[in-house]
Every structure is written in structure tokens, then in C-alpha cells.
Amino acid sequence: MRREALTWNDIDQLIDHLIPQFETEFDAMMLITRGGVVPGGLLAEALDLVDILTAAVHFPAEMEMEQHRKTDPRLYALPQFIQFPENSLLRSRKVLIVDDVWGSGRTITAVKNRVVSAGGYPYTCVLHFNPYRNLFGKARPDYFAAITDAHIVYPWEINRGIEGSLLPQM
């Protein structure tokens, strides 16, 4: 799979591309950890949103899924919500759900469905949409800055280690 490493300047350009797309004002933003934390923070600042919520979702590892499929195929893709806001924080509110990338779409779709079940109105937003990995047919994010088939490496993911950091070496 092709890899593409982005710079902070690239991220600024993606955020600048997203902002004019928003057709509505949002009551809250939900950041999906960990990928949505940085782009969500940048968008929250640009949109002047102060109600910031987080969702942490875990899907079983491939090995766990293989074991579950043998015993109970219904367990194949059930998400485990490690952290999620109370329904009262979502009810009747327009919620912008932010993640870095829509690959398979499993995580953001699980969060979106949970917001709907809480009585909220979810809108999905990612920096990158990969339609080639999407498991949800023609479903796609409501807002995205770019389409890609590459594995994106964001600047906050780069493993700099002590040699590559700006900290003085000891």
C-alpha cells in the first residue's frame, strides 16, 4: 500500500478546505480518539465551538475476530465503547463527529449510530476518505477534505524518538 506523509502545512490546507463546506452551525463536536483529536481541535478553534466531547471505540483485533467468527459470527464487528458521552449531552443537538480518516468506516459509523440512538443529529467529518476500503457501500462522510487510496501518516503520528525531537540530548 502506498504511504503518504503529511506536513503541518498540508493539514492547514485540508482544514482550510473543510471549513467552507459546513452548511450548518453545530451545537457540539465529538472527537474520536485518537485520530480525531488534533483535526477536531483545529476545527473547534476555527468554528468557535466550545462543547467538545470524546468517543473512544475499540474493535476486536483480527485474531479475536477470527475466534469469535468460529463461535458466534454476530460478534465479528461489534464495537466496544471505552468512552462515550451521556445521552443528555447529545439529545436534540447537531453534533459534528471528527476523525482523521474514513478507511473501513467502522469506527465513525459506530459513533454516528450511537449519537442517533441518543437522539442527536450527527454529521461526520474526516480529513481523508478512502472509498476503496469503505465497508458501507455508498455511505461516505458528510464532510471530507480529500479522497485517497494511500495510508496517510499525519505529522502527529511520526515517531521522532529522542534523536528527532527538539529536546536537548543528554
Side-chain angles (χ1 to χ4, degrees):
M1 176 181 280
R2 184 172 66 85
R3 292 172 53 101
E4 186 176 337
L6 300 184
T7 66
W8 285 106
N9 188 51
D10 296 329
I11 300 304
D12 286 340
Q13 291 176 13
L14 292 168
I15 296 294
D16 288 344
H17 185 73
L18 276 170
I19 292 171
Q21 294 181 41
F22 300 126
E23 303 159 349
T24 186
E25 289 188 22
F26 303 101
D27 300 310
M29 179 181 289
M30 183 172 310
L31 312 179
I32 297 177
T33 63
R34 293 177 323 193
V37 171
V38 174
L42 295 170
L43 284 169
E45 186 67 28
L47 299 173
D48 197 27
L49 281 169
V50 293
D51 288 354
I52 311 300
L53 309 167
T54 57
V57 184
H58 170 74
F59 282 91
E62 287 296 322
M63 217 168 172
E64 287 179 65
M65 286 193 291
E66 280 299 319
Q67 292 169 345
H68 287 307
R69 260 189 288 191
K70 291 175 186 169
T71 59
D72 186 353
R74 294 172 297 163
L75 298 177
Y76 176 71
L78 293 178
Q80 177 185 8
F81 288 91
I82 310 298
Q83 179 182 13
F84 203 84
E86 294 180 28
N87 290 352
S88 63
L89 297 172
L90 303 169
R91 192 172 300 115
S92 300
R93 299 182 83 193
K94 293 179 186 175
V95 181
L96 183 63
I97 303 168
V98 180
D99 206 353
D100 53 358
V101 65
W102 176 310
S104 69
R106 287 187 321 162
T107 302
I108 202 163
T109 299
V111 171
K112 177 181 179 177
N113 291 340
R114 182 104 182 245
V115 170
V116 168
S117 72
Y121 306 103
Y123 297 82
T124 55
C125 176
V126 294
L127 295 178
H128 289 91
F129 172 48
N130 186 336
Y132 312 102
R133 291 190 52 223
N134 185 12
L135 298 176
F136 295 90
K138 295 186 188 271
R140 59 193 292 161
D142 296 308
Y143 308 103
F144 57 92
I147 293 176
T148 188
D149 64 348
H151 173 84
I152 303 295
V153 179
Y154 295 98
W156 55 87
E157 295 175 322
I158 296 172
N159 184 5
R160 298 183 325 176
I162 193 70
E163 292 87 26
S165 74
L166 299 176
L167 300 173
Q169 305 240 339
M170 305 226 172

